[in-house]
Amino acid sequence: MAAAADNIELINRILRLKEQRNAVILSHNYQRPEVQDIGDFVGDSLELSRKAAATEAAVIVFCGVHFMAETASILSPGKTVLLPDAESGCPMADMITADALVKKKQEMPGVHVVCYVNSSAAVKAESEVCCTSANAVRVVESVGPGEILFVPDQYLGHYVSTQTKRPMVLWPGFCPTHLKIKPEDIISNKQKYSGSVALVHPECRPEVTAVADHVLSTGGMLKFAGQTNAKILIIATEVGILHRLQKENPGKTFIPANAKALCPNMKKITLEKILWALEDMQPEIRVPEDIRIRARTAVDRMLAA
Ligand code: 13P
Ligand code: SF4
């Protein structure tokens, strides 16, 4: 665990309390380096959902954004799910409400709703199946014949549509962080670093995925980086992932396509807030049971895909 010396006391207090509470700390690949380092498990949205479903711990401290903690609660209703900063939301998830989705479904009778996991539990409850960027292509391929409405990320939806050759109606949502990345960021870095390989997250715009060498989820990027012979990789996603990429691949160089692609919500969680969450057992995220049961069907289908 690589932590600054002044964090050591804080880390020790968290670890002691974590033991007492029988808690597990799950941390997304975009979290601050010290928050990743204290995680029992660090991963992408799909990997963290699987861990949340499988853990035997009584308490899940979710270091990510609100919809991720909700997904953990949907899967583990008997556990206490803590989100160390309750304001850590996802602007993309907020671009659709359950009411707006219900209205759209009424305009499209019989439509299959595929919902990116970056959405509220209430939106998931109105959806047929969920997906993450790691399994979106597989999920859409598993959907039966008929029209598909993909919510809320138009760019992930567009990318999946090109891969599956399934036309889809796309909700006009987007990730403001990934929108900061431009095609020139990839092109100029590839020119500057000869032999480099560009990995692009599918939340980026089509002009950006078009110049990618590989389009991958954050978990996919980590796997690729560990296996490739390339020594320089251009990374087009939220910059927090650079910490883990560099830590796990010390012999390789990782260049952020655009260093401004930083998600302020992901950075709201700090070591202090993790400690306070474990002390107070707050903020707790719990999904109302009627919504949870309906959302669970869509999330279970995502995990089975
Ligand atoms: P991953 O699914 O690749 O973890 O990325 C999701 C994301 O952008 C989290 O907001
Ligand atoms: Fe939401 Fe984008 Fe931040 Fe992910 S990176 S939490 S999609 S705003």
Side-chain angles (χ1 to χ4, degrees):
M1 193 179 295
D6 57 356
N7 279 339
I8 287 175
E9 173 56 21
L10 197 50
I11 289 167
N12 285 337
R13 287 170 67 191
I14 291 170
L15 295 180
R16 276 198 301 273
L17 207 48
K18 191 182 77 148
E19 201 70 19
Q20 285 167 24
R21 299 283 197 212
N22 185 17
V24 66
I25 299 178
L26 303 183
S27 186
H28 189 267
N29 290 325
Y30 296 160
Q31 291 287 298
R32 291 169 183 271
E34 64 276 18
V35 173
Q36 294 190 32
D37 288 346
I38 205 167
D40 293 294
F41 186 79
V42 189
D44 69 13
S45 307
L46 184 61
E47 292 162 340
L48 294 177
S49 296
R50 292 196 197 285
K51 286 285 166 191
T55 183
E56 307 223 314
V59 177
I60 299 172
V61 182
F62 213 114
C63 302
V65 289
H66 192 271
F67 74 79
M68 295 181 178
E70 271 194 337
T71 306
S73 168
I74 289 166
L75 288 164
S76 303
K79 299 185 195 306
T80 302
V81 179
L82 303 174
L83 179 65
D85 188 319
E87 301 299 313
S88 173
C90 168
M92 181 208 285
D94 294 340
M95 290 177 190
I96 183 169
T97 62
D99 286 350
L101 177 54
V102 169
K103 196 159 165 265
K104 188 75 185 168
K105 282 184 354 183
Q106 282 162 359
E107 292 165 16
M108 303 175 72
V111 71
H112 300 287
V113 180
V114 179
C115 160
Y116 190 24
V117 75
N118 295 36
S119 53
S120 68
V123 166
K124 290 181 176 76
E126 293 298 337
S127 303
E128 182 174 310
V129 59
C130 275
C131 67
T132 72
S133 53
N135 70 358
V137 169
R138 268 199 322 274
V139 166
V140 168
E141 281 169 349
S142 74
V143 171
E147 218 173 1
I148 297 179
L149 170 63
F150 191 93
V151 302
D153 186 0
Q154 60 184 301
Y155 298 119
L156 175 64
H158 175 272
Y159 173 72
V160 172
S161 178
T162 62
Q163 298 303 297
T164 58
K165 311 274 182 274
R166 274 270 331 236
M168 301 194 286
V169 175
L170 307 175
W171 197 269
F174 59 89
C175 164
T177 298
H178 284 84
L179 245 62
K180 294 202 172 115
I181 302 171
K182 299 176 290 302
E184 306 84 83
D185 297 331
I186 314 283
I187 295 163
S188 61
N189 274 308
K190 284 208 66 172
Q191 279 164 355
K192 189 165 163 196
Y193 300 100
S194 77
S196 62
V197 172
L199 309 184
V200 174
H201 196 279
E203 285 179 17
C204 291
R205 285 173 292 151
E207 310 87 273
V208 183
T209 50
V211 292
D213 291 305
H214 300 280
V215 178
L216 295 165
S217 70
T218 60
M221 288 182 186
L222 281 146
K223 196 164 163 212
F224 182 92
Q227 292 171 349
T228 181
N229 290 327
K231 288 280 176 260
I232 305 178
L233 292 110
I234 316 294
I235 304 298
T237 191
E238 209 276 345
V239 291
I241 196 174
L242 274 284
H243 172 66
R244 202 177 145 199
L245 282 168
Q246 204 63 77
K247 189 170 150 183
E248 292 179 8
N249 302 282
K252 292 175 184 163
T253 303
F254 298 93
I255 312 291
N258 184 333
K260 292 195 182 117
L262 184 142
C263 176
N265 289 289
M266 281 283 180
K267 306 300 186 245
K268 283 188 175 152
I269 293 174
T270 61
L271 289 178
E272 284 86 352
K273 289 179 192 172
I274 295 173
L275 178 65
W276 299 334
L278 280 164
E279 280 174 351
D280 303 342
M281 295 297 279
Q282 287 290 341
E284 185 181 354
I285 304 298
R286 194 170 285 279
V287 175
E289 193 57 11
D290 55 327
I291 294 177
R292 190 191 74 77
I293 289 169
R294 289 190 297 135
R296 172 95 198 219
T297 308
V299 173
D300 278 346
R301 286 181 181 142
M302 167 183 92
L303 294 178

